[in-house]
Amino acid sequence: LAKTTQPISMDSYEGQEVNITCSHNNIATNDYITWYQQFPSQGPRFIIQGYKTKVTNEVASLFIPADRKSSTLSLPRVSLSDTAVYYCLVGLKTGANNLFFGTGTRLTVIP
Amino acid sequence: GAVVSQHPSWVICKSGTSVKIECRSLDFQATTMFWYRQFPKQSLMLMATSNEGSKATYEQGVEKDKFLINHASLTLSTLTVTSAHPEDSSFYICSARDVADSSYEQYFGPGTRLTVT
């Protein structure tokens, strides 16, 4: 299992760009990186998934360096509603090892 | 988008009784569903993998006789907490994978909060 390490918490002001980095030093060749968002008392919500370089969708960007030992979730211009816990998961798309959630990063957006 | 529902959204039961939680994929078929448990301020912990038409696969440390899982159709999995005790109070979340989705994305339900008194 590719273990992931994230900061426990982060604070940011509204309107700023937030970058959350996840370390996964023992990522395997065929592993993908997936990020989820979870609000209190709700199930997680898929944000973005990537394998290498950069992936962008309507809510976030995911930057993955060439060695793939880390990844950075970038949230542009956060708002108060982005306050949540963000989880980074690493594993095969079809495999069981992308089902194990790490500690996550608790992002608090400050007005 | 793919939607997963859970019922009930919250339940309070007395110690020693059993509680059933349903997980449904509303607009897709899911041969595999997953059950998680989450305690306050903690991360999600995978309890078991539910396979349609076969026995569930439980993670280490999860009592299969206490947490009964049934996946009788491609859209429904149930988790029954038998002889519930206060320490079983938690937030239970299910997820499902769309068999037709090549991204193998997990779609999560809204969760069920169980309180055992």
Coordinates of all heavy atoms in Angstrom, one line a residue, chain B residues 8 16 21-22 26-27 39 42 46 49 51 62-63 71 73 77 79 82-83 87-89 92 97 108 113-114 117:
Chain B
P8 N -31.3 4.7 6.8 CA -31.7 6.1 7.1 C -30.5 7.0 7.2 O -29.3 6.5 7.1 CB -32.3 5.9 8.5 CG -31.6 4.8 9.2 CD -31.2 3.8 8.1
G16 N -28.1 -3.5 22.3 CA -28.5 -4.9 22.2 C -29.4 -5.1 21.0 O -29.7 -6.3 20.7
I21 N -28.8 -0.7 7.7 CA -28.5 0.5 6.9 C -28.5 0.1 5.4 O -27.8 -0.9 5.1 CB -27.2 1.2 7.3 CG1 -27.2 1.5 8.8 CG2 -26.9 2.4 6.4 CD1 -25.8 2.0 9.3
E22 N -29.2 0.8 4.6 CA -29.3 0.5 3.2 C -28.4 1.5 2.4 O -28.3 2.7 2.7 CB -30.7 0.6 2.7 CG -31.6 -0.5 3.2 CD -33.0 -0.4 2.6 OE1 -33.3 0.6 1.9 OE2 -33.8 -1.3 2.8
L26 N -28.4 4.8 -7.4 CA -29.7 5.2 -7.9 C -29.8 5.2 -9.5 O -30.8 4.9 -10.0 CB -30.1 6.6 -7.4 CG -30.3 6.7 -5.9 CD1 -30.8 8.1 -5.6 CD2 -31.2 5.7 -5.4
D27 N -28.7 5.5 -10.1 CA -28.7 5.6 -11.6 C -27.6 4.8 -12.2 O -27.3 5.1 -13.4 CB -28.7 7.0 -12.0 CG -27.6 7.8 -11.3 OD1 -26.8 7.2 -10.5 OD2 -27.5 9.0 -11.5
F39 N -15.3 7.7 12.9 CA -15.5 8.3 14.2 C -15.2 9.8 14.1 O -14.5 10.3 13.2 CB -14.6 7.6 15.2 CG -15.0 6.2 15.4 CD1 -14.2 5.1 15.0 CD2 -16.2 5.8 16.1 CE1 -14.6 3.8 15.2 CE2 -16.6 4.5 16.3 CZ -15.8 3.5 15.8
Q42 N -12.0 11.8 12.9 CA -11.1 10.8 12.4 C -11.3 10.6 10.9 O -12.3 11.1 10.3 CB -11.2 9.5 13.1 CG -10.7 9.6 14.6 CD -10.7 8.3 15.3 OE1 -10.5 7.2 14.6 NE2 -10.7 8.3 16.6
L46 N -12.1 1.7 6.1 CA -12.8 0.7 5.3 C -13.1 -0.5 6.2 O -12.2 -1.0 6.8 CB -11.9 0.3 4.1 CG -12.5 -0.8 3.2 CD1 -13.7 -0.2 2.5 CD2 -11.5 -1.3 2.2
T49 N -15.8 -4.9 1.8 CA -16.1 -4.8 0.4 C -17.3 -5.7 0.1 O -17.2 -6.9 0.5 CB -15.0 -5.2 -0.5 OG1 -13.9 -4.3 -0.2 CG2 -15.3 -5.1 -2.0
N51 N -19.8 -7.6 -2.4 CA -19.8 -8.0 -3.8 C -21.2 -8.6 -4.1 O -21.7 -9.5 -3.4 CB -18.8 -9.1 -4.0 CG -17.4 -8.6 -3.7 OD1 -16.9 -7.7 -4.3 ND2 -16.7 -9.2 -2.7
V62 N -12.4 -6.3 11.7 CA -13.9 -6.1 11.6 C -14.6 -7.4 11.8 O -14.4 -8.4 11.0 CB -14.3 -5.4 10.3 CG1 -15.8 -5.2 10.2 CG2 -13.5 -4.1 10.1
E63 N -15.5 -7.5 12.7 CA -16.2 -8.7 13.0 C -17.3 -9.0 12.0 O -18.3 -8.2 12.0 CB -16.8 -8.6 14.4 CG -15.8 -8.4 15.6 CD -16.5 -8.2 16.9 OE1 -17.3 -9.1 17.3 OE2 -16.3 -7.2 17.5
H71 N -25.5 -8.1 -0.3 CA -25.5 -7.3 -1.6 C -26.3 -8.1 -2.6 O -25.8 -8.8 -3.4 CB -24.0 -7.2 -2.1 CG -23.9 -6.2 -3.2 ND1 -22.7 -5.5 -3.4 CD2 -24.7 -5.7 -4.1 CE1 -22.8 -4.7 -4.4 NE2 -24.0 -4.8 -4.8
S73 N -28.5 -7.3 -4.9 CA -28.8 -6.8 -6.3 C -27.7 -5.9 -6.7 O -26.9 -5.5 -5.9 CB -30.2 -6.2 -6.4 OG -30.1 -4.8 -5.8
S77 N -27.0 -2.6 -1.3 CA -26.2 -3.4 -0.3 C -26.7 -2.9 1.0 O -27.1 -1.8 1.2 CB -24.7 -3.0 -0.5 OG -24.0 -3.6 0.6
L79 N -26.0 -3.1 5.3 CA -25.2 -3.3 6.5 C -26.0 -3.4 7.7 O -26.8 -2.5 8.0 CB -24.1 -2.2 6.6 CG -23.3 -2.2 7.9 CD1 -22.4 -3.4 8.0 CD2 -22.6 -0.9 8.1
T82 N -25.4 -5.9 14.3 CA -26.2 -6.7 15.2 C -25.7 -6.5 16.7 O -24.6 -6.2 16.9 CB -25.9 -8.2 14.8 OG1 -24.5 -8.5 15.0 CG2 -26.4 -8.5 13.4
S83 N -26.7 -6.6 17.6 CA -26.5 -6.4 19.0 C -25.6 -5.2 19.2 O -24.5 -5.3 19.7 CB -25.8 -7.7 19.6 OG -25.7 -7.6 21.0
E87 N -20.3 1.6 21.7 CA -19.0 1.8 21.0 C -19.2 1.7 19.5 O -18.3 2.0 18.7 CB -18.0 0.9 21.5 CG -18.3 -0.6 21.4 CD -18.9 -1.1 22.7 OE1 -19.5 -0.3 23.5 OE2 -18.7 -2.3 23.0
D88 N -20.4 1.2 19.1 CA -20.7 1.1 17.6 C -21.2 2.4 17.1 O -21.4 2.5 15.9 CB -21.7 0.0 17.4 CG -21.2 -1.4 17.8 OD1 -20.0 -1.7 17.6 OD2 -22.0 -2.2 18.3
S89 N -21.5 3.3 18.0 CA -22.0 4.6 17.5 C -20.9 5.3 16.6 O -19.7 5.4 17.0 CB -22.2 5.5 18.7 OG -23.2 5.0 19.5
Y92 N -21.5 5.9 9.4 CA -21.3 4.8 8.4 C -21.6 5.3 7.0 O -22.6 5.9 6.7 CB -22.2 3.6 8.8 CG -21.8 2.9 10.1 CD1 -22.3 3.4 11.3 CD2 -21.0 1.8 10.1 CE1 -22.0 2.8 12.5 CE2 -20.6 1.2 11.3 CZ -21.1 1.7 12.5 OH -20.7 1.1 13.6
R97 N -18.9 1.6 -7.1 CA -18.3 1.8 -8.4 C -19.2 1.5 -9.5 O -19.8 0.4 -9.4 CB -17.0 1.0 -8.5 CG -15.8 1.6 -7.7 CD -14.6 0.8 -8.0 NE -13.4 1.5 -7.4 CZ -12.4 0.8 -6.9 NH1 -12.4 -0.5 -6.8 NH2 -11.4 1.5 -6.4
F108 N -19.7 8.2 -3.3 CA -20.1 8.0 -1.9 C -21.5 8.4 -1.6 O -22.1 9.3 -2.2 CB -19.1 8.8 -1.0 CG -17.7 8.2 -0.9 CD1 -16.8 8.5 -1.9 CD2 -17.4 7.4 0.1 CE1 -15.5 7.9 -1.8 CE2 -16.1 6.8 0.2 CZ -15.2 7.1 -0.8
R113 N -25.7 8.3 10.4 CA -25.2 8.4 11.8 C -25.9 7.5 12.7 O -27.1 7.6 12.9 CB -25.3 9.9 12.2 CG -24.6 10.1 13.6 CD -24.3 11.5 13.9 NE -23.5 12.2 12.9 CZ -22.1 12.0 12.8 NH1 -21.5 11.2 13.6 NH2 -21.5 12.6 11.8
L114 N -25.2 6.6 13.3 CA -25.8 5.7 14.2 C -25.4 6.1 15.7 O -24.2 6.2 16.0 CB -25.3 4.2 14.0 CG -25.6 3.2 15.0 CD1 -27.1 3.0 15.1 CD2 -24.9 1.9 14.7
T117 N -27.7 3.9 22.4 CA -27.9 4.4 23.8 C -27.9 3.3 24.8 O -28.1 2.1 24.4 CB -29.2 5.2 23.9 OG1 -30.3 4.4 23.6 CG2 -29.2 6.4 23.0

